[in-house]
Amino acid sequence: MSNEFEQISIKPGFMKHNGGVLFKTVSETEYEFKTTINENHLNAAGITHGGYLSALIDAGAGTAAHRASGNAPCVTISLDLKFIGASKVGDIVTGFTRILKKTNTLVFLFCELKCNDKIITSASGIWKILKIKPSDLGPGG
């Protein structure tokens, strides 16, 4: 598998507008993604907004589901998040996604966001594998 991160937010959209997401495949069931927090990502308390962290997980874990399903288009069915830490401007936030199970129609996964070697968000999710021709939109929001 590749040791290099690739930019997955290459087309106009929410995640590209918000700085993009770098992504890499670790194994058939493990994936990583990362981004750097900037001022646009903060809430009124001066820490990273939970909505941005949610979108980051949706994009990164969604790309993992997409890759795990043979690059089939996937959409989020369920995403359960726990916010347990914080990040701030300049921090690099890294996501670690593990595919728990893949069926013909669903991908079940677990994801953690870490900052400075501490877990700041954990999530479990289910993605639906769409049985349509892949579009040119690509993964990553």
Side-chain angles (χ1 to χ4, degrees), residues 24-117:
K24 76 174 178 178
T25 300
V26 177
S27 72
E28 287 184 14
T29 59
E30 295 176 308
Y31 303 86
E32 290 183 27
F33 56 93
K34 68 181 180 177
T35 195
T36 302
I37 302 303
N38 66 48
E39 287 195 25
N40 293 336
H41 301 141
L42 303 182
N43 63 20
I47 59 175
T48 307
H49 194 285
Y52 177 73
L53 295 175
S54 300
L56 178 61
I57 288 177
D58 194 38
T63 300
H66 168 75
R67 299 277 172 94
S69 64
N71 294 325
C74 295
V75 293
T76 312
I77 291 177
S78 171
L79 189 56
D80 180 31
L81 295 110
K82 310 283 188 288
F83 300 103
I84 53 181
S87 57
K88 59 187 182 333
V89 169
D91 284 342
I92 296 173
V93 173
T94 305
F96 301 89
T97 302
R98 187 174 67 249
I99 305 299
L100 303 175
K101 182 176 182 172
K102 185 185 92 52
T103 69
N104 288 332
T105 58
L106 299 172
V107 177
F108 299 82
L109 58 77
F110 178 77
C111 181
E112 289 178 335
L113 292 182
K114 289 186 177 182
C115 178
N116 299 318
D117 293 321

